[in-house]
Amino acid sequence: MPSIVIDHVDADGTTLECDVRTSPELERFFSNESFRTEYDVSIEEVPDAILVIPVLAQVCPVAWANGADVYVDEVDATFAAAVADVQASLCSMHDFLEGGTLYAKETVDVEREAGGESGLLFTGGVDSTCSYVRHREEEPTLISIRGWTITPDSADDDKWDHLRSRVSSFADDHDLETAFVESNMLSFLAHPMLLAHYKRHVDGAWYSSVGHGLGLLGLCAPMAYARGMDDLYVAATHWEGIDLEWGSRPDIDDHVRWASTQCHHDSYDLTRQERLDAIADYVEAEEPDLQLQTCNDRMDGNCGECEKCYRTAVGLRLSGLEPTNHGYQFEHEDYREIRTALEEGRWVLGQDERYMWEDIRDRARETEPSSPEEAAFFEWLDEADLDELVSESGSPLSHRLLRAGARNTPARVYNTVYPAWRSAKSGLQRVRSR
């Protein structure tokens, strides 16, 4: 039976570290790194049954993809029940997941008095800003995580510094606290190998389609315990009526819990355009100069030229806001560029982007255009075949060949050639982005 064993978890000041042992057939999905997470609050007084949650949140989905069991000395009983609920949801969503069992020598009913605090995973984008607007009376601690879209590599130090600076500035302006979490969860996992094996089963990548709801929330467990957080919010990407295979959904995130902390998948009742409406109401009432950051290419501002920047700018206009006032350099002439990029397949699109452009189209049908360029774009969008636009924007053949090669490579050979494989893949991404 394939298995994953969590060895003793060590907490030293603000640093969490542990090692994982696997049966031979699972070795390829793990690097040689120990699992490490750095917090900005001491976790030495956090019970071991809580300290193990961050690593369990990363390895359990990998185990379920391989029908493997996970073994640990002790775990919080509330989280153990949450893992079973999340497993049921993920296995129902992804038919390639086989399931498995979490075995603990001891399940502990960790008790903590209600602390009255809340936390919000926050980037400053549309979704997390909408969640702040809706929960601002709770004065949530703004939590930013390094390890997924911003990697632990030194090459990403500037991106992390920009994010920290921006979130800290937002927190200072709104009298909020911040929490910054840094983890190697995706380099601890052999994420490219997971992508190579399972990309064909999912619309996005491994972490986005399978792991990030449980993974990101679980990373926060020791910090949330130390800070006395009763509620932890993660903003929804999608909304009711969208049944995509995505790693963060109400039937995943709302199950995640430990000790006295309950997690919440927030604003699922609003479409992305309706979230922009909520932000627009807040802008009008309280903060006319609010800035958003959604760019896929930059962290020190919005490039104004990627698909997400253009999509956000159009959405802002449809909510009655001027994009230039909120972080996006946008002119009406840009509508022609958006149409051309979509028609020529310049942007790699998935089903989530398809639904978001459909959401924009629905609102555009109710909106009186304010320029000839806007009118022409709305007319084109009204007739555009969004499914065809998505299908014509797939990843390059070279990426698919790399994944297929990795899938059929013995683990010991893969671990030797992986640095070259990663370099080749990064080079392809750079060429593609240009």
Side-chain angles (χ1 to χ4, degrees), residues 52-61 79 207 211 214-219:
V52 75
I53 291 175
V55 67
L56 283 177
Q58 315 310 316
V59 307
C60 281
F79 184 74
Y207 212 60
L214 176 63
L216 296 181
L217 291 169
L219 278 179

Side-chain angles (χ1 to χ4, degrees), residues 45 47 49-50 76-78 108-114 225 258-260:
E45 301 302 319
I50 299 294
D76 172 58
T78 301
V108 182
D109 289 313
V110 176
E111 296 183 1
R112 175 181 63 79
E113 293 185 4
Y225 184 92
W258 54 83
S260 298

Side-chain angles (χ1 to χ4, degrees), residues 58-197:
Q58 315 310 316
V59 307
C60 281
V62 178
W64 301 334
N66 293 274
D69 295 329
V70 179
Y71 295 85
V72 65
D73 285 340
E74 63 178 280
V75 65
D76 172 58
T78 301
F79 184 74
V83 165
D85 292 337
V86 171
Q87 177 184 337
S89 292
L90 280 172
C91 288
S92 175
M93 184 194 318
H94 295 295
D95 57 11
F96 70 90
L97 295 180
E98 302 177 36
T101 303
L102 172 61
Y103 290 102
K105 293 180 181 178
E106 184 179 7
T107 55
V108 182
D109 289 313
V110 176
E111 296 183 1
R112 175 181 63 79
E113 293 185 4
E117 300 295 324
S118 68
L120 167 65
L121 273 62
F122 188 80
T123 63
V126 170
D127 301 329
S128 61
T129 300
C130 176
S131 287
Y132 164 72
V133 168
R134 300 185 91 187
H135 296 282
R136 63 187 183 277
E137 292 185 359
E138 297 179 35
E139 299 182 341
T141 295
L142 304 182
I143 304 166
S144 299
I145 296 176
R146 179 178 186 176
W148 182 18
T149 56
I150 300 177
T151 74
D153 293 344
S154 59
D156 275 357
D157 284 351
D158 285 345
K159 290 182 178 180
W160 180 238
D161 290 343
H162 289 311
L163 177 62
R164 286 180 61 106
S165 176
R166 180 162 39 80
V167 172
S168 296
S169 178
F170 186 97
D172 290 343
D173 291 343
H174 299 83
D175 295 322
L176 304 174
E177 293 187 1
T178 58
F180 296 103
V181 179
E182 301 184 54
S183 181
N184 70 334
M185 70 275 200
L186 289 194
S187 54
F188 154 73
L189 298 176
H191 191 256
M193 182 58 78
L194 289 167
L195 182 63
H197 275 256

Side-chain angles (χ1 to χ4, degrees), residues 14-49:
T14 60
T15 303
L16 175 70
E17 186 168 0
C18 78
D19 291 317
V20 171
R21 290 178 287 121
T22 74
S23 52
E25 61 267 45
L26 298 182
E27 287 180 356
R28 67 173 57 218
F29 298 119
F30 293 84
S31 69
N32 293 323
E33 297 182 25
S34 298
F35 174 79
R36 292 185 303 276
T37 303
E38 181 76 26
Y39 302 95
D40 57 5
V41 62
S42 175
I43 57 170
E44 289 190 341
E45 301 302 319
V46 176
D48 288 348

Side-chain angles (χ1 to χ4, degrees), residues 198-385:
Y198 301 114
K199 171 63 180 174
R200 64 190 187 276
H201 297 296
V202 297
D203 180 53
W206 168 265
Y207 212 60
S208 58
S209 295
V210 182
H212 77 283
L214 176 63
L216 296 181
L217 291 169
L219 278 179
C220 297
M223 176 273 297
Y225 184 92
R227 288 177 175 263
M229 291 180 182
D230 300 330
D231 296 287
L232 183 58
Y233 298 98
V234 57
T237 299
H238 304 135
W239 52 88
E240 292 178 275
I242 296 181
D243 187 25
L244 288 180
E245 297 169 344
W246 192 246
S248 174
R249 308 195 323 180
D251 55 351
I252 297 172
D253 303 341
D254 289 346
H255 287 314
V256 182
R257 58 202 186 274
W258 54 83
S260 298
T261 301
Q262 174 64 54
C263 299
H264 308 274
H265 188 82
D266 189 62
S267 296
Y268 189 68
D269 57 321
L270 302 179
T271 71
R272 192 170 192 268
Q273 195 59 50
E274 289 169 340
R275 293 169 201 163
L276 284 166
D277 292 343
I279 292 171
D281 291 341
Y282 172 73
V283 165
E284 182 177 355
E286 298 190 32
E287 193 172 352
D289 297 325
L290 177 71
Q291 300 294 295
L292 296 174
Q293 169 76 32
T294 62
C295 187
N296 281 331
D297 295 333
R298 290 173 50 182
M299 295 300 296
D300 59 340
N302 297 299
C303 74
E305 298 178 350
C306 69
E307 184 270 339
K308 197 171 184 180
C309 279
Y310 277 132
R311 171 162 41 88
T312 304
V314 174
L316 286 167
R317 285 202 51 79
L318 290 169
S319 290
L321 296 177
E322 180 53 52
T324 305
N325 295 335
H326 304 286
Y328 302 85
Q329 295 300 317
F330 185 81
E331 304 291 341
H332 281 260
E333 290 77 9
D334 290 329
Y335 280 117
R336 286 192 292 268
E337 175 63 20
I338 299 172
R339 174 178 173 175
T340 300
L342 288 170
E343 288 181 327
E344 293 182 354
R346 294 183 197 169
W347 298 317
V348 177
L349 306 176
Q351 286 301 313
D352 52 339
E353 286 88 5
R354 179 219 176 278
Y355 280 108
M356 290 177 189
W357 280 107
E358 183 179 58
D359 187 35
I360 286 175
R361 180 169 66 187
D362 290 343
R363 179 61 61 85
R365 287 169 174 167
E366 305 170 357
T367 304
E368 186 68 29
S370 60
S371 71
E373 294 89 351
E374 192 168 70
F377 180 76
F378 287 176
E379 182 179 353
W380 170 80
L381 186 61
D382 187 56
E383 300 294 333
D385 186 333

